Amino acid sequence: MQALINLIKHEAFGGVLLLTATVLALVFGNSGILSHFYNEILSSQFVIGFRGHDLAKPLITWVNDGLMVVFFFVVGLELKREVKEGALREKSQIVLPLVGALGGVTLPAVIFWAFNHGDEFALRGWAIPTATDIAFALGILALLGAKRVPAGLKVFLMTLAVIDDLCAIIIIALFYTGQLSLVSMGLAALCLGALGVLHHFRVPKKSLYLFFTFLLWLSVLNSGVHATIAGVLAAFCIPTRDMHGKHMLNELLADLSSVTTYFILPVFAFVNAGVSLAGVSISQLVNSVSSGIFFGLLAGKQLGVFIFSLIFIRLGFAKLPAGTTWIQFYGVCILTGIGFTMSLFVDSLAYHESKEFFHADKLAVLAASLASGVLGAIYLLVYHKAKAGSNLK
């Protein structure tokens, strides 16, 4: 029992759950009766309502527009904590991961554009290969251990992934919004104002913040702006400490982090990764969209992060993390190509579950993320063994 508890508490366990959920989704999506059951469940309508006002959505929409709001709420809380008390507080610590994150967004987008610039619909997915999955990437570092990866590199990757999430949030807000409803936007503004008042007076009732966050989500859901933005906005309205000095932000993170890691993200992976390969040929899978996503994540992310970082370090504006070498640094850059959760999420926003690309878009995300994780881990392991061998001579 103690071994099981230690496994669950291990930093890499969240990544193991994500991988398990993904494998199960692929099995369900390609296994006859299971496939029928899987698709029926995902498309089933679930309704919430009050006095004749009903909101009916398929299960997959509730997960992507509902549960993922909680995930983005946690991301927002983590961003605020890092800005107030963590790695994003000091300018000297933020320069390198900020520059690396910008490179990791820019080059993958350029690669995707190069493959798809003649197709307007395909170009909607330009942001798919720009994300880094923090759970998987940090999970691999945890499995490698502190002896193989210096603490400074872990902080760099964590900070870069946090900034990456912020970039994804901005991209979603700017490029993946629908037709705006002024009434819903107005209601959302009122809810945000109420949260702002609670924040100003540092009201200690967490239930009040969560109540207005729920109303904000409902308003944004019907506004045309993607609902997950509500989670981030609400998170920034949570005071770091309440009027009694209690660390409200940390308490909420402690309450919700395990929920997102052990439930929401695996559920998201399960409902979004069940790609059916029935009747699909190899030639259909190798299309411009899948190529843009695959090479954008696998090559664009690592090269973008590394080249932008290299330029700023050579110019004297930033420094390598303490105790690291350029070879180790490049190994961590490879891991930034693990897009997975956020890439699948942006894919759903860009193409709305379209089958035009024969699910090759999602398969490319899975393949590139797997390749980046495996290559990055092998790279760092081989370097560590070579370094250890040279030290023994």
Side-chain angles (χ1 to χ4, degrees):
M1 182 60 71
Q2 187 58 46
L4 179 61
I5 292 172
N6 292 337
L7 173 64
I8 293 173
K9 288 182 177 180
H10 197 281
E11 194 174 2
F13 188 67
V16 172
L17 275 181
L18 273 177
L19 182 59
T20 303
T22 303
V23 172
L24 284 175
L26 289 170
V27 170
F28 271 71
N30 293 276
S31 302
I33 297 175
L34 288 178
S35 177
H36 177 74
F37 172 76
Y38 177 78
N39 291 314
E40 281 292 314
I41 291 294
L42 295 191
S43 60
S44 296
Q45 293 282 324
F46 286 78
V47 182
I48 62 171
F50 179 73
R51 292 189 175 181
H53 299 283
D54 295 333
L55 187 61
K57 301 282 186 182
L59 176 62
I60 190 170
T61 303
W62 282 118
V63 172
N64 291 347
D65 290 0
L67 286 183
M68 287 300 284
V69 173
V70 181
F71 167 72
F72 277 93
F73 182 70
V74 172
V75 169
L77 291 175
E78 290 175 340
L79 279 170
K80 183 167 184 176
R81 183 175 66 178
E82 292 300 318
V83 169
K84 291 288 186 179
E85 302 174 342
L88 303 183
R89 183 179 58 179
E90 299 292 336
K91 291 182 179 179
S92 59
Q93 291 179 309
I94 195 176
V95 172
L96 186 61
L98 175 61
V99 169
L102 291 176
V105 169
T106 304
L107 191 55
V110 170
I111 289 174
F112 186 90
W113 177 88
F115 277 99
N116 297 278
H117 62 276
D119 188 332
E120 185 177 347
F121 180 68
L123 273 178
R124 285 185 54 82
W126 66 270
I128 296 171
T130 64
T132 296
D133 190 293
I134 190 169
F136 264 136
L138 291 180
I140 289 174
L141 287 190
L143 288 173
L144 290 171
K147 292 182 179 180
R148 297 182 181 91
V149 183
L153 274 182
K154 180 179 177 181
V155 172
F156 166 79
L157 181 60
M158 181 181 70
T159 308
L160 182 142
V162 169
I163 297 172
D164 230 21
D165 284 340
L166 179 59
C167 291
I169 290 162
I170 294 171
I171 288 170
I172 290 169
L174 294 178
F175 299 100
Y176 295 102
T177 58
Q179 188 174 358
L180 300 180
S181 166
L182 294 180
V183 174
S184 296
M185 290 286 286
L187 291 173
L190 289 175
C191 295
L192 198 58
L195 285 167
V197 171
L198 293 175
H199 176 272
H200 177 75
F201 291 103
R202 296 189 295 161
V203 176
K205 295 286 186 180
K206 287 187 283 188
S207 58
L208 281 175
Y209 292 93
L210 296 178
F211 172 72
F212 281 107
T213 297
F214 176 72
L215 294 182
L216 176 64
W217 168 72
L218 282 178
S219 302
V220 175
L221 185 64
N222 294 298
S223 69
V225 178
H226 197 269
T228 50
I229 303 301
V232 181
L233 294 175
F236 275 88
C237 292
I238 303 298
T240 306
R241 297 182 183 273
D242 64 22
M243 62 174 62
H244 303 305
K246 291 181 65 177
H247 210 305
M248 181 182 287
L249 191 148
N250 275 355
E251 286 182 359
L252 277 172
L253 270 176
D255 293 338
L256 296 175
S257 291
S258 57
V259 175
T260 58
T261 301
Y262 301 138
F263 176 69
I264 292 176
L265 291 182
V267 168
F268 172 84
F270 182 74
V271 303
N272 283 276
V275 179
S276 174
L277 300 177
V280 180
S281 66
I282 296 297
S283 61
Q284 289 172 324
L285 293 177
V286 183
N287 55 51
S288 61
V289 168
S290 64
S291 299
I293 293 172
F294 182 82
F295 291 108
L297 277 172
L298 182 60
K301 286 293 292 185
Q302 59 178 279
L303 291 176
V305 173
F306 184 78
I307 292 171
F308 274 53
S309 299
L310 174 65
I311 291 172
F312 266 67
I313 290 173
R314 293 301 190 201
L315 291 175
F317 296 125
K319 296 180 180 179
L320 271 177
T324 66
T325 66
W326 278 109
I327 297 176
Q328 284 176 312
F329 183 76
Y330 190 76
V332 169
C333 290
I334 297 174
L335 294 179
T336 63
I338 306 173
F340 199 73
T341 308
M342 194 63 74
S343 292
L344 287 175
F345 184 70
V346 175
D347 183 280
S348 70
L349 297 180
Y351 300 132
H352 304 290
E353 306 303 322
S354 169
K355 297 180 181 179
E356 181 170 335
F357 308 115
F358 310 101
H359 298 303
D361 46 343
K362 289 186 176 182
L363 281 174
V365 170
L366 299 179
S369 297
L370 177 63
S372 296
V374 171
L375 288 175
I378 292 174
Y379 179 99
L380 289 169
L381 279 171
V382 170
Y383 171 76
H384 176 73
K385 288 183 178 180
K387 184 180 179 182
S390 64
N391 289 338
L392 292 174
K393 293 180 180 179

